[in-house]
Amino acid sequence: MRVEVSCDSYNSHGGGPSITPIGGYLSGSLAAVEPKTLVIEANACFRSTGPPRKTLERMYEEFHRSLDSLPNVRYVSKGQRLRVRYMSRVCPAEVALRFGVPSLEVFTLVLREFAGLLPGVLKDQKILGKRVDFPSLERALDASLGQTPATDAELQAFATRLREDARAAFAELSPWERLGINWSDYHPRARLLLDDPFFWQEADDYAPHGNDTGSDLLGAFRVWRRRNGGVPVLRFLSDLLRDWGFEERVAAFSEKAPAAWTKDDEMAVTLFDEANIALAFAQIKLEAVCDSGACDAALASIGRQLSPEVAAHFEWKTPLERVRRLEQMRAVLTMLGDA
């Protein structure tokens, strides 16, 4: 078994200096436990005790309301992944996710909590549970809890070794392997259509889903599509723009000639174009097709982003790499449109 641990609060997502090393620590202890190919993705969610930051009140309320539905456990048999999202009760977010050096106290508290939770979670899985060697699991967990680092310095040294090992392993990977994508989440033909790792990058602002707009849209579209199969995808974009509070702003700039666009229109133009491009590629990734309406809208947005007149109007300095990537996306959409 291999374990990956991430953590959430209402205003943060990903890793924490005291939480992330738990995954590497448990993986070392559970490596020989059957099923060895199983990857356990643990997501510990922490309540905040203080008031929300300004402008984040809604996010604060929604996150804490969502904790009432936890734990949430999902087993993806195709990818051999068990995803466990649970609420941690050992300490508040302000303590658990504190920046700086790892805290042995937080590490140990969260480690013990998850180790106590894991056997029950696995036993509740009807199919997966039959494959788990529970006696070996219990022994491995007991051993790991008895051999934790003794000091903050030891924990920090362990966390440093994990990062160095991860960097070395990453350097050995191919560009496709470095993406770390679970391909079972996407259509089997999508990788053939989008045959450059660039299209799948999650941290490249030029990639379809590498910017904030595209990333948020891909996740929202995945959920929407499950409930709206067969519905033209542009209807999703209309609903999303309304939810984001941009529907009127997009309508406003659309009714004006480009020469009349103001600075207030610039953000709406940028977001609308990012969203159109992201939607087209989201459908390709999930369905290996692109509706003609979504394809045309994305091509129009790419054309606008490449327009010298628009760039001059907004005083944009478009890097050559950005131009190259827009042309690359246009080529894919043109090919699909002609198919």
Side-chain angles (χ1 to χ4, degrees):
M1 294 182 185
R2 180 161 62 85
V3 181
E4 300 171 358
V5 180
S6 62
C7 46
D8 281 358
S9 70
Y10 82 92
N11 64 339
S12 66
H13 173 75
S18 305
I19 309 297
T20 304
I22 293 173
Y25 181 75
L26 282 176
S27 294
S29 301
L30 305 183
V33 177
E34 295 290 350
K36 296 178 183 178
T37 54
L38 178 66
V39 178
I40 300 168
E41 298 177 356
N43 179 226
C45 300
F46 294 87
R47 286 187 178 277
S48 297
T49 56
R53 295 181 181 177
K54 280 190 175 182
T55 75
L56 300 183
E57 291 84 0
R58 181 178 176 183
M59 191 183 300
Y60 181 95
E61 292 175 4
E62 290 179 351
F63 175 80
H64 287 91
R65 194 182 307 121
S66 74
L67 298 181
D68 295 335
S69 64
L70 301 182
N72 180 277
V73 182
R74 179 178 171 228
Y75 175 54
V76 183
S77 57
K78 192 172 181 180
Q80 290 288 288
R81 288 180 174 266
L82 182 70
R83 294 167 178 166
V84 184
R85 182 177 173 84
Y86 73 99
M87 182 176 71
S88 178
R89 302 177 185 274
V90 296
C91 59
E94 292 83 354
V95 174
L97 308 185
R98 188 176 295 153
F99 290 110
V101 297
S103 162
L104 179 61
E105 180 181 10
V106 172
F107 172 87
T108 304
L109 286 172
V110 179
L111 169 65
R112 290 185 176 279
E113 179 182 52
F114 182 68
L117 175 76
L118 183 57
V121 167
L122 290 169
K123 286 176 182 176
D124 286 342
Q125 298 297 305
K126 293 181 180 179
I127 298 175
L128 176 61
K130 296 177 182 179
R131 300 173 52 210
V132 176
D133 182 351
F134 283 102
S136 294
L137 174 65
E138 296 284 1
R139 287 195 296 271
L141 289 173
D142 288 343
S144 69
L145 295 178
Q147 299 169 6
T148 55
T151 65
D152 285 339
E154 286 185 18
L155 175 59
Q156 187 171 358
F158 174 74
T160 299
R161 287 198 303 275
L162 281 180
R163 289 194 298 271
E164 291 173 348
D165 290 346
R167 280 195 290 267
F170 185 79
E172 297 295 323
L173 298 177
S174 72
W176 285 102
E177 291 171 326
R178 290 177 184 180
L179 294 171
I181 289 177
N182 180 5
W183 295 106
S184 65
D185 290 339
Y186 298 97
H187 193 283
R189 291 187 58 240
R191 186 170 166 182
L192 298 176
L193 296 172
L194 306 177
D195 58 357
D196 186 320
F198 156 74
F199 293 111
W200 302 88
Q201 290 289 349
E202 297 178 349
D204 183 341
D205 283 342
Y206 299 158
H209 305 116
N211 51 64
D212 290 342
T213 302
S215 177
D216 291 346
L217 185 144
L218 176 60
F221 178 71
R222 190 190 296 276
V223 174
W224 180 87
R225 200 52 161 166
R226 292 190 195 117
R227 304 169 185 167
N228 298 276
V231 178
V233 297
L234 283 182
R235 191 174 304 175
F236 160 77
L237 185 57
S238 177
D239 294 342
L240 188 67
L241 290 173
R242 185 180 61 248
D243 293 343
W244 284 353
F246 271 84
E247 186 178 38
E248 293 182 0
R249 296 178 66 175
V250 168
F253 88 73
S254 300
E255 293 170 357
K256 294 186 287 187
W261 288 341
T262 67
K263 271 293 183 185
D264 290 338
D265 294 317
E266 183 177 3
M267 180 181 292
V269 169
T270 300
L271 181 136
F272 185 57
D273 287 345
E274 288 178 345
N276 275 327
I277 295 168
L279 178 58
F281 282 90
Q283 189 181 18
I284 296 170
K285 288 181 178 181
L286 297 181
E287 301 174 2
V289 296
C290 187
D291 287 2
S292 60
C295 186
D296 290 344
L299 285 170
S301 286
I302 290 173
R304 185 162 41 236
Q305 289 294 309
L306 286 171
S307 167
E309 291 77 18
V310 173
H313 181 76
F314 287 131
E315 298 181 348
W316 289 343
K317 298 188 186 308
T318 308
L320 289 177
E321 177 66 9
R322 168 71 167 159
V323 172
R324 186 171 78 86
R325 292 309 191 181
L326 286 167
E327 293 284 9
Q328 187 177 5
M329 290 187 284
R330 179 155 66 182
V332 168
L333 294 175
T334 300
M335 175 194 68
L336 288 174
D338 293 341

